[in-house]
Amino acid sequence: MRGSCILKLIGIGAIAWFLFSKFTNKISDGISFEKARLKWGSLTINGISITVILRFFNANGFGIPIDGFEGQLMYGDISLSRISLPSPVTLTSNAATDININATIYWDQLASNIVTQIQNKQLLQPIRIVGRVVVKGIGVPVDYQLEII
């Protein structure tokens, strides 16, 4: 008797997991990355202020909260700046949403990075944003090349 009860619970758990997986896949399939842009800001005593603009399209019929983003602005394999989302953002249903992330490229890091790139003969590299977007505690890795505006 006890064995059949355990088997029923395992079966119910497997079905619940299957349905949950299908539901989360449907939601994630409804979110698509459109583009990433880099907007130059002002020059400060510390460095260059920039804004990274990530555009996502949410085809789901409901808003999707983005809890956070942690990553780096990269020039080739060299980190220019650490970036993070200062507060949660909700992707609007059936619409494109821009997520703006402000950061600073510090002068001292920039100078050493330029020297390294010259030494490695890798001057023309793409600028990318690399990190992970967090949705409901689940991290999704990202690696997007930026369009400079």
Short mmCIF file of all heavy atoms in Angstrom, two decimals, residues 6-39:
data_model
loop_
_atom_site.label_atom_id
_atom_site.label_comp_id
_atom_site.label_asym_id
_atom_site.label_seq_id
_atom_site.Cartn_x
_atom_site.Cartn_y
_atom_site.Cartn_z
N ILE A 6 3.76 5.99 -2.85
CA ILE A 6 5.00 6.65 -3.23
C ILE A 6 5.10 6.73 -4.75
O ILE A 6 5.49 7.76 -5.30
CB ILE A 6 6.21 5.90 -2.62
CG1 ILE A 6 6.23 6.10 -1.10
CG2 ILE A 6 7.52 6.41 -3.23
CD1 ILE A 6 7.27 5.29 -0.38
N LEU A 7 4.71 5.66 -5.45
CA LEU A 7 4.74 5.66 -6.91
C LEU A 7 3.78 6.71 -7.48
O LEU A 7 4.10 7.40 -8.46
CB LEU A 7 4.39 4.28 -7.47
CG LEU A 7 5.48 3.22 -7.34
CD1 LEU A 7 4.98 1.88 -7.84
CD2 LEU A 7 6.73 3.64 -8.10
N LYS A 8 2.61 6.85 -6.85
CA LYS A 8 1.66 7.87 -7.31
C LYS A 8 2.24 9.27 -7.12
O LYS A 8 2.11 10.13 -7.99
CB LYS A 8 0.34 7.75 -6.55
CG LYS A 8 -0.50 6.57 -6.96
CD LYS A 8 -1.77 6.49 -6.15
CE LYS A 8 -2.52 5.22 -6.46
NZ LYS A 8 -3.72 5.08 -5.64
N LEU A 9 2.89 9.50 -5.96
CA LEU A 9 3.50 10.80 -5.71
C LEU A 9 4.63 11.09 -6.71
O LEU A 9 4.76 12.23 -7.19
CB LEU A 9 4.03 10.88 -4.29
CG LEU A 9 2.98 10.99 -3.18
CD1 LEU A 9 3.65 10.93 -1.81
CD2 LEU A 9 2.18 12.26 -3.34
N ILE A 10 5.42 10.09 -7.01
CA ILE A 10 6.50 10.26 -8.00
C ILE A 10 5.90 10.58 -9.37
O ILE A 10 6.36 11.46 -10.09
CB ILE A 10 7.40 9.01 -8.06
CG1 ILE A 10 8.21 8.90 -6.77
CG2 ILE A 10 8.33 9.05 -9.27
CD1 ILE A 10 9.00 7.62 -6.62
N GLY A 11 4.83 9.89 -9.73
CA GLY A 11 4.16 10.15 -11.01
C GLY A 11 3.58 11.56 -11.08
O GLY A 11 3.74 12.25 -12.09
N ILE A 12 2.93 11.99 -10.01
CA ILE A 12 2.36 13.34 -9.97
C ILE A 12 3.48 14.38 -10.05
O ILE A 12 3.36 15.38 -10.77
CB ILE A 12 1.50 13.53 -8.69
CG1 ILE A 12 0.24 12.68 -8.79
CG2 ILE A 12 1.16 15.00 -8.48
CD1 ILE A 12 -0.57 12.61 -7.51
N GLY A 13 4.57 14.12 -9.34
CA GLY A 13 5.71 15.04 -9.38
C GLY A 13 6.31 15.12 -10.78
O GLY A 13 6.65 16.21 -11.25
N ALA A 14 6.43 13.98 -11.47
CA ALA A 14 6.98 13.97 -12.83
C ALA A 14 6.08 14.74 -13.79
O ALA A 14 6.55 15.51 -14.63
CB ALA A 14 7.17 12.53 -13.31
N ILE A 15 4.77 14.56 -13.66
CA ILE A 15 3.83 15.29 -14.52
C ILE A 15 3.90 16.78 -14.24
O ILE A 15 3.92 17.61 -15.16
CB ILE A 15 2.39 14.74 -14.33
CG1 ILE A 15 2.30 13.32 -14.90
CG2 ILE A 15 1.36 15.65 -15.00
CD1 ILE A 15 1.02 12.60 -14.56
N ALA A 16 3.96 17.16 -12.95
CA ALA A 16 4.05 18.57 -12.58
C ALA A 16 5.34 19.19 -13.14
O ALA A 16 5.32 20.30 -13.66
CB ALA A 16 3.98 18.73 -11.07
N TRP A 17 6.44 18.46 -13.03
CA TRP A 17 7.72 18.96 -13.55
C TRP A 17 7.65 19.14 -15.07
O TRP A 17 8.13 20.13 -15.62
CB TRP A 17 8.86 18.03 -13.17
CG TRP A 17 10.16 18.49 -13.77
CD1 TRP A 17 10.86 17.92 -14.79
CD2 TRP A 17 10.91 19.64 -13.39
NE1 TRP A 17 11.98 18.64 -15.07
CE2 TRP A 17 12.03 19.71 -14.22
CE3 TRP A 17 10.72 20.63 -12.42
CZ2 TRP A 17 12.98 20.72 -14.12
CZ3 TRP A 17 11.66 21.63 -12.33
CH2 TRP A 17 12.78 21.67 -13.17
N PHE A 18 7.04 18.17 -15.77
CA PHE A 18 6.90 18.25 -17.22
C PHE A 18 6.09 19.48 -17.61
O PHE A 18 6.47 20.24 -18.50
CB PHE A 18 6.24 16.97 -17.75
CG PHE A 18 5.95 17.02 -19.22
CD1 PHE A 18 6.96 16.85 -20.15
CD2 PHE A 18 4.66 17.25 -19.67
CE1 PHE A 18 6.68 16.91 -21.51
CE2 PHE A 18 4.37 17.31 -21.02
CZ PHE A 18 5.39 17.14 -21.94
N LEU A 19 4.96 19.70 -16.95
CA LEU A 19 4.10 20.86 -17.26
C LEU A 19 4.81 22.17 -16.95
O LEU A 19 4.73 23.14 -17.72
CB LEU A 19 2.77 20.76 -16.50
CG LEU A 19 1.85 19.62 -16.92
CD1 LEU A 19 0.63 19.55 -16.01
CD2 LEU A 19 1.43 19.77 -18.38
N PHE A 20 5.53 22.22 -15.82
CA PHE A 20 6.28 23.42 -15.45
C PHE A 20 7.36 23.71 -16.49
O PHE A 20 7.55 24.85 -16.90
CB PHE A 20 6.89 23.24 -14.06
CG PHE A 20 7.75 24.40 -13.64
CD1 PHE A 20 7.17 25.60 -13.24
CD2 PHE A 20 9.13 24.30 -13.65
CE1 PHE A 20 7.95 26.68 -12.85
CE2 PHE A 20 9.92 25.37 -13.28
CZ PHE A 20 9.34 26.56 -12.88
N SER A 21 8.07 22.68 -16.95
CA SER A 21 9.12 22.85 -17.96
C SER A 21 8.53 23.38 -19.26
O SER A 21 9.10 24.28 -19.89
CB SER A 21 9.84 21.53 -18.22
OG SER A 21 10.50 21.10 -17.07
N LYS A 22 7.41 22.83 -19.67
CA LYS A 22 6.74 23.30 -20.90
C LYS A 22 6.33 24.77 -20.76
O LYS A 22 6.49 25.56 -21.68
CB LYS A 22 5.50 22.45 -21.22
CG LYS A 22 5.82 21.09 -21.74
CD LYS A 22 6.41 21.22 -23.13
CE LYS A 22 6.51 19.86 -23.78
NZ LYS A 22 7.17 19.93 -25.06
N PHE A 23 5.79 25.13 -19.60
CA PHE A 23 5.34 26.50 -19.35
C PHE A 23 6.52 27.47 -19.39
O PHE A 23 6.46 28.51 -20.04
CB PHE A 23 4.62 26.59 -18.00
CG PHE A 23 4.18 27.97 -17.63
CD1 PHE A 23 3.13 28.58 -18.29
CD2 PHE A 23 4.83 28.65 -16.62
CE1 PHE A 23 2.73 29.87 -17.94
CE2 PHE A 23 4.44 29.94 -16.27
CZ PHE A 23 3.39 30.54 -16.94
N THR A 24 7.62 27.13 -18.70
CA THR A 24 8.77 28.03 -18.68
C THR A 24 9.42 28.13 -20.05
O THR A 24 9.89 29.20 -20.44
CB THR A 24 9.82 27.59 -17.63
OG1 THR A 24 10.21 26.24 -17.88
CG2 THR A 24 9.28 27.73 -16.23
N ASN A 25 9.45 27.03 -20.82
CA ASN A 25 9.98 27.08 -22.18
C ASN A 25 9.13 27.98 -23.06
O ASN A 25 9.64 28.72 -23.89
CB ASN A 25 10.08 25.69 -22.80
CG ASN A 25 11.23 24.90 -22.23
OD1 ASN A 25 12.16 25.45 -21.66
ND2 ASN A 25 11.17 23.59 -22.37
N LYS A 26 7.83 27.92 -22.90
CA LYS A 26 6.92 28.77 -23.67
C LYS A 26 7.18 30.24 -23.37
O LYS A 26 7.20 31.07 -24.27
CB LYS A 26 5.47 28.39 -23.33
CG LYS A 26 4.42 29.23 -23.99
CD LYS A 26 4.14 28.76 -25.38
CE LYS A 26 2.94 29.52 -25.93
NZ LYS A 26 2.98 29.65 -27.34
N ILE A 27 7.39 30.56 -22.09
CA ILE A 27 7.67 31.95 -21.70
C ILE A 27 9.01 32.39 -22.28
O ILE A 27 9.12 33.46 -22.89
CB ILE A 27 7.67 32.11 -20.17
CG1 ILE A 27 6.24 31.94 -19.64
CG2 ILE A 27 8.23 33.46 -19.75
CD1 ILE A 27 6.15 31.89 -18.14
N SER A 28 10.05 31.59 -22.11
CA SER A 28 11.37 31.99 -22.60
C SER A 28 11.41 32.07 -24.12
O SER A 28 12.12 32.91 -24.67
CB SER A 28 12.45 31.05 -22.08
OG SER A 28 12.27 29.76 -22.59
N ASP A 29 10.62 31.24 -24.81
CA ASP A 29 10.55 31.32 -26.26
C ASP A 29 9.87 32.62 -26.70
O ASP A 29 10.09 33.10 -27.81
CB ASP A 29 9.79 30.13 -26.85
CG ASP A 29 10.57 28.83 -26.74
OD1 ASP A 29 11.79 28.89 -26.50
OD2 ASP A 29 9.96 27.77 -26.90
N GLY A 30 9.06 33.21 -25.84
CA GLY A 30 8.36 34.44 -26.17
C GLY A 30 9.21 35.69 -25.95
O GLY A 30 8.80 36.79 -26.31
N ILE A 31 10.41 35.55 -25.38
CA ILE A 31 11.29 36.69 -25.15
C ILE A 31 12.45 36.59 -26.13
O ILE A 31 13.13 35.57 -26.20
CB ILE A 31 11.83 36.71 -23.71
CG1 ILE A 31 10.69 36.82 -22.72
CG2 ILE A 31 12.81 37.85 -23.53
CD1 ILE A 31 11.13 36.66 -21.29
N SER A 32 12.66 37.66 -26.89
CA SER A 32 13.77 37.64 -27.85
C SER A 32 14.60 38.91 -27.70
O SER A 32 14.07 39.99 -27.44
CB SER A 32 13.25 37.51 -29.28
OG SER A 32 12.39 38.57 -29.60
N PHE A 33 15.89 38.74 -27.85
CA PHE A 33 16.82 39.86 -27.83
C PHE A 33 16.79 40.50 -29.21
O PHE A 33 16.87 39.82 -30.22
CB PHE A 33 18.23 39.36 -27.50
CG PHE A 33 19.27 40.40 -27.69
CD1 PHE A 33 19.40 41.43 -26.79
CD2 PHE A 33 20.11 40.36 -28.78
CE1 PHE A 33 20.37 42.40 -26.96
CE2 PHE A 33 21.07 41.32 -28.96
CZ PHE A 33 21.21 42.34 -28.05
N GLU A 34 16.64 41.83 -29.25
CA GLU A 34 16.61 42.52 -30.54
C GLU A 34 17.95 43.17 -30.87
O GLU A 34 18.47 42.97 -31.95
CB GLU A 34 15.49 43.57 -30.58
CG GLU A 34 14.13 42.93 -30.65
CD GLU A 34 13.04 43.93 -30.97
OE1 GLU A 34 13.26 45.16 -30.85
OE2 GLU A 34 11.96 43.47 -31.36
N LYS A 35 18.49 43.98 -29.95
CA LYS A 35 19.78 44.60 -30.20
C LYS A 35 20.35 45.20 -28.93
O LYS A 35 19.64 45.40 -27.96
CB LYS A 35 19.70 45.65 -31.30
CG LYS A 35 18.83 46.84 -30.99
CD LYS A 35 18.81 47.79 -32.19
CE LYS A 35 17.78 48.87 -32.04
NZ LYS A 35 17.77 49.77 -33.17
N ALA A 36 21.65 45.46 -29.00
CA ALA A 36 22.35 46.12 -27.90
C ALA A 36 23.08 47.31 -28.49
O ALA A 36 23.72 47.20 -29.54
CB ALA A 36 23.34 45.16 -27.25
N ARG A 37 22.96 48.44 -27.82
CA ARG A 37 23.61 49.66 -28.30
C ARG A 37 24.45 50.27 -27.19
O ARG A 37 24.17 50.08 -26.02
CB ARG A 37 22.56 50.67 -28.78
CG ARG A 37 21.76 50.16 -29.96
CD ARG A 37 20.63 51.07 -30.33
NE ARG A 37 19.66 51.00 -29.23
CZ ARG A 37 18.67 51.86 -29.06
NH1 ARG A 37 18.52 52.86 -29.88
NH2 ARG A 37 17.83 51.74 -28.07
N LEU A 38 25.45 51.03 -27.59
CA LEU A 38 26.32 51.73 -26.66
C LEU A 38 26.22 53.21 -26.98
O LEU A 38 26.48 53.64 -28.10
CB LEU A 38 27.77 51.26 -26.79
CG LEU A 38 28.80 51.98 -25.93
CD1 LEU A 38 28.54 51.71 -24.46
CD2 LEU A 38 30.20 51.54 -26.31
N LYS A 39 25.81 53.99 -25.99
CA LYS A 39 25.69 55.44 -26.15
C LYS A 39 26.76 56.11 -25.30
O LYS A 39 26.83 55.87 -24.09
CB LYS A 39 24.30 55.89 -25.71
CG LYS A 39 24.04 57.36 -25.88
CD LYS A 39 22.61 57.68 -25.48
CE LYS A 39 22.34 59.15 -25.57
NZ LYS A 39 20.98 59.47 -25.10
#
